[in-house]
Amino acid sequence: MGGWAAAPWRLGGCSGRGGLRGAARRWGSSRPGAGDQAATLSDLLQSSVEAEEPGAAAARRERRCPREGTVLLFPGQGSQFVGMCRGLQQFPGVRDMYRLAEKVLGYDLLSLCLEGPRDALDRTQHCQPAVFVASLAAVEKLNHLQPEVVERCVAAAGYSVGEFAALVFAGALGFAEALYAVKVRAEAMQRASEVVPSGMLSVVGRREANYKFACLEARKHCESLGIENPVCTVSNYLFPDSRVIAGHLQALEFLQENARKYYFKRTKMLPVSGAFHTRLMEPAVEPLAEVLKSIEIQKPLLCVYSNVDGKKYMHSKHIQKLLVKQVVSPVLWEQTMHSVYERKQGTEFPYTYEVGPGNQLGAILKQCNLKAWKQYKHVDALEDEEAAET
């Protein structure tokens, strides 16, 4: 296949049809004024409809041998930093991507990424769209420097909000529609996190660690303080002996104070505002579910793995259901990595590319599967990044 625009599955455009550049041209290239409001979903859809390109059906039918393929990993919230994307503006399509994002979001996302302030960028309602767009911009960079890597991609996975970027890349979601859904998701999760003092605790435990028992005792501690129906549960499975526990702040403080009792080697509070991927996020479920009902979702053109069960998405309804469920379900990233890299003994591992800010997924992959990690590359968002070499 020659070039990004000829293969609609690579980015998907506004409605999973056509390329991003074509979508940007339909939107126009003028910057909106400071008083402009965020575009409504109906406006986005009306501006984005076009016929599917002739090559789409052929691209959907194409299948590649896993040994010849590549894997793309898309990071999630927490990987953002002020200054990201400075090195991506030189690549074709990236500026158009950010112009389109400004129309969808109603604010200048590129300026926020480049200049901050950090406190604003780190807010859930901002950092989720920021990481989503930056990751797909990094794919543009990869496609420009090494188009064969993008052409040979057979599987993708995204961490939390990164799953939306993976699905856009796979042609299941359109860029503008997915970004609108991420906006709704992020704002709803921000509001939910402000209802109850809560957070997330990163834990590295010894082999003897019993996370469920520790969480149970932390919930009992909260009940003794008068907290009704407290939450404390594993919200992220990262790699062997590493978990993220989320819930009421009092529960997390209890676990830190009793770390030795539960065989926790290290604990660290994460710089997030709420207990994501727990039932404390239930207020965010309905807003996301409603917007996903109004979005066209197609079957992915390559394997995309769900955070909810670590398995491949099978069809559009499956995607719609699990993206909603993901908000209140633990991220099974360790299990997902096992699914992605499971292969017969002696089979070579594919080259893996983490696309977007930070290299946390690479560090996790090293702990999950050292042999797979040896074929890992990072496509960063910094201006001094050199082309990755295969």
Side-chain angles (χ1 to χ4, degrees):
M1 296 182 186
W4 187 295
W9 54 269
R10 292 193 190 130
L11 190 54
C14 284
S15 291
R17 299 182 295 270
L20 175 68
R21 296 178 192 128
R25 284 197 295 272
R26 291 194 299 278
W27 280 90
S29 57
S30 58
R31 293 167 63 89
D36 288 351
Q37 300 296 317
T40 65
L41 181 59
S42 60
D43 293 334
L44 300 178
L45 295 177
Q46 185 175 0
S47 301
S48 68
V49 174
E50 73 171 18
E52 183 172 333
E53 292 189 10
R60 284 185 178 279
R61 290 193 297 268
E62 183 170 352
R63 294 293 182 267
R64 300 182 186 277
C65 173
R67 285 177 290 183
E68 299 174 357
T70 59
V71 175
L72 264 59
L73 302 180
F74 294 80
Q77 181 173 347
S79 61
Q80 73 279 352
F81 59 90
V82 174
M84 69 180 186
C85 301
R86 183 171 290 115
L88 300 179
Q89 298 173 68
Q90 61 180 301
F91 298 104
V94 172
R95 284 191 176 274
D96 289 337
M97 191 181 295
Y98 278 98
R99 290 190 188 102
L100 181 54
E102 187 168 355
K103 288 182 177 290
V104 175
L105 299 172
Y107 58 87
D108 189 345
L109 180 65
L110 180 59
S111 293
L112 182 61
C113 290
L114 293 176
E115 303 165 10
R118 179 177 176 179
D119 289 348
L121 179 61
D122 285 347
R123 285 182 64 82
T124 297
Q125 67 190 72
H126 295 142
C127 71
Q128 289 190 18
V131 171
F132 169 85
V133 178
S135 296
L136 291 171
V139 175
E140 284 275 7
K141 172 182 178 178
L142 179 61
N143 181 68
H144 180 78
L145 297 177
Q146 292 181 274
E148 70 281 0
V149 171
V150 176
E151 291 171 359
R152 298 202 316 266
C153 185
V154 295
Y159 190 95
S160 191
V161 72
E163 198 164 289
F164 285 81
L167 287 165
V168 170
F169 173 75
L173 297 173
F175 174 78
E177 294 172 345
L179 178 56
Y180 186 85
V182 168
K183 174 182 183 291
V184 170
R185 177 186 190 267
E187 291 172 351
M189 291 175 71
Q190 180 75 52
R191 291 192 298 271
S193 68
E194 294 168 354
V195 174
V196 176
S198 55
M200 304 181 79
L201 181 71
S202 175
V203 177
V204 176
R206 302 184 187 280
R207 292 188 179 275
E208 307 96 310
N210 187 326
Y211 300 95
K212 289 185 178 180
F213 177 70
C215 290
L216 174 63
E217 294 216 324
R219 290 195 297 271
K220 289 181 178 178
H221 169 73
C222 287
E223 290 172 348
S224 73
L225 299 177
I227 299 174
E228 295 183 3
N229 203 17
V231 172
C232 183
T233 185
V234 175
S235 62
N236 305 72
Y237 292 80
L238 302 179
F239 55 86
D241 302 323
S242 180
R243 305 284 186 270
V244 175
I245 297 174
H248 283 79
L249 281 181
Q250 297 90 332
L252 304 183
E253 291 167 356
F254 172 82
L255 292 178
Q256 284 186 294
E257 293 169 1
N258 294 276
R260 292 186 63 183
K261 175 182 177 181
Y262 300 116
Y263 300 100
F264 295 166
K265 291 191 291 186
R266 293 193 302 275
T267 62
K268 180 181 179 182
M269 288 296 297
L270 299 180
V272 296
S273 58
F276 303 141
H277 302 290
T278 73
R279 60 180 171 82
L280 288 178
M281 290 293 111
E282 284 179 356
V285 167
E286 186 175 350
L288 179 59
E290 286 302 310
V291 73
L292 288 176
K293 287 179 185 177
S294 63
I295 287 178
E296 180 183 1
I297 303 176
Q298 300 183 20
K299 183 177 180 179
L301 297 166
L302 49 88
C303 297
V304 179
Y305 292 79
S306 168
N307 287 183
V308 173
D309 57 12
K311 299 178 182 178
K312 303 172 189 175
Y313 280 116
M314 302 307 295
H315 49 76
S316 60
K317 290 294 185 182
H318 195 208
I319 294 171
Q320 180 181 324
K321 177 182 177 181
L322 292 190
L323 283 180
V324 173
K325 189 175 181 180
Q326 188 221 68
V327 174
V328 291
S329 301
V331 173
L332 304 185
W333 192 253
E334 178 184 348
Q335 295 86 333
T336 299
M337 291 298 93
H338 290 319
S339 296
V340 171
Y341 296 102
E342 183 180 13
R343 59 201 58 242
K344 295 180 180 178
Q345 187 173 2
T347 303
E348 292 184 358
F349 285 91
Y351 284 100
T352 296
Y353 295 80
E354 181 174 356
V355 284
N359 57 2
Q360 293 94 328
L361 299 184
I364 294 174
L365 178 59
K366 185 177 182 180
Q367 298 297 323
C368 288
N369 191 320
L370 183 60
K371 290 183 178 179
W373 173 80
K374 290 180 179 179
Q375 310 300 328
Y376 163 88
K377 306 286 184 181
H378 181 215
V379 184
D380 208 340
L382 297 176
E383 56 191 343
D384 60 351
E385 176 76 3
E386 298 294 333
E389 296 181 359
T390 56

